[in-house]
Amino acid sequence: MESKKTIYAYFRVSTEIQAEIGSSLQNQSQLATNIGRRRNVKVVKINEGPQSSQEHISKRPKFAVLMKMIDDDKVKHIWVERIDRLYRNYMEQMWFAYHFIDNKGGTIYTGSNCDPVKFESVQDRMMFKYIALHSESENELRSERSRHGKLYLLENVAPKKAVYLGGTPTFGYVNKNKEWVIEKTESKIVKKIFNDYVKGKTIINIKKDLDSSGIKPRRAKYWNIETLRQMLHNESYTGLKEWREFKRNPNNKLEKILVATRHYKIPKIIS
């Protein structure tokens, strides 16, 4: 590897839980730092945070920027801990390899040794396909195990406490010891949003009031209208948490931020 070349190190984790344990953002970041020192190269870190590689690119803004830089021929070297940090889907991994390596003349590096992905000969491409398919299969098995684990928690733990199943906690709640707990400051904001709306304020005016008052959402400077709309439709605030992959479990209830009678008026008003 030539000295002083620039490697763009892209790292992410799939969920908030992974951000805390195992193959974490901190570990990936440290690997990238070590590679820069050992290889005498400049490392530009691109930290996507907790985000699934199965999500549309619009849900991975840092990756979208990286793709734009690739298309503009500004990036020639990319490092990832594993190839599925870029994409989990086999077909998408193959497309990225053809686009970046063949079309753009780039190089992908993986692992703690910063090994270049070989993609020149027929054998190289066959091996890449095998690795991509194996990775996709492992992710499917991991997802299935995760699903069974969540079902076990719903059936055996949820009747006793508001069990946390992963993902980003709904605004107004935090994950504390794998349990949904009300976050005091955020819950006050939630109540304000609902109260203002019930009193007749439009979502646009609520956004303006929050922004002008210096009340900020978690990861942005200003409130988004669609975010506020989704919050007003979110049944979780009445204590009934619902996950997309499961039917509602009546025993798995959160501590209420709102009373149900007030919440159920909201969808009728804004729909």
Side-chain angles (χ1 to χ4, degrees), residues 91-199:
M91 294 299 296
E92 290 177 329
Q93 287 185 31
M94 291 300 300
W95 171 85
F96 184 85
Y98 278 111
H99 179 64
F100 182 59
I101 299 176
D102 277 1
N103 297 339
K104 293 296 183 178
T107 304
I108 303 172
Y109 305 89
T110 63
S112 59
N113 292 326
C114 198
D115 299 316
V117 173
K118 295 180 179 180
F119 206 70
E120 296 177 0
S121 67
V122 173
Q123 289 81 2
D124 290 340
R125 293 169 190 256
M126 286 182 64
M127 179 58 67
F128 185 90
K129 289 180 180 179
Y130 169 77
I131 293 172
L133 284 169
H134 180 68
S135 174
E136 184 176 36
S137 177
E138 277 194 330
N139 285 320
E140 288 175 354
L141 289 171
R142 191 181 300 115
S143 295
E144 187 65 19
R145 288 195 297 268
S146 175
R147 180 178 174 81
H148 286 305
K150 290 176 180 179
L151 282 172
Y152 174 84
L153 291 173
L154 282 174
E155 293 171 355
N156 297 277
V157 181
K160 301 175 184 178
K161 65 178 183 179
V163 60
Y164 176 75
L165 297 183
T168 303
T170 301
F171 188 88
Y173 293 94
V174 292
N175 165 27
K176 187 174 182 179
N177 299 322
K178 305 299 175 61
E179 185 175 356
W180 288 83
V181 177
I182 288 179
E183 207 286 323
K184 293 182 179 180
T185 301
E186 289 186 354
S187 65
K188 291 178 181 178
I189 298 172
V190 171
K191 290 178 181 178
K192 172 179 170 54
I193 291 169
F194 274 83
N195 287 335
D196 286 350
Y197 200 90
V198 169
K199 290 176 182 177

Side-chain angles (χ1 to χ4, degrees), residues 32-50:
T33 298
N34 294 343
I35 287 168
R37 290 171 179 169
R38 291 202 313 268
R39 302 281 185 168
N40 190 28
V41 296
K42 178 182 178 181
V43 174
V44 177
K45 296 182 181 181
I46 303 175
N47 183 352
E48 193 75 75

Side-chain angles (χ1 to χ4, degrees), residues 3 10 34 65 135 181 228 242:
S3 62
Y10 177 81
N34 294 343
V65 171
S135 174
V181 177
L228 292 170
E242 186 176 19

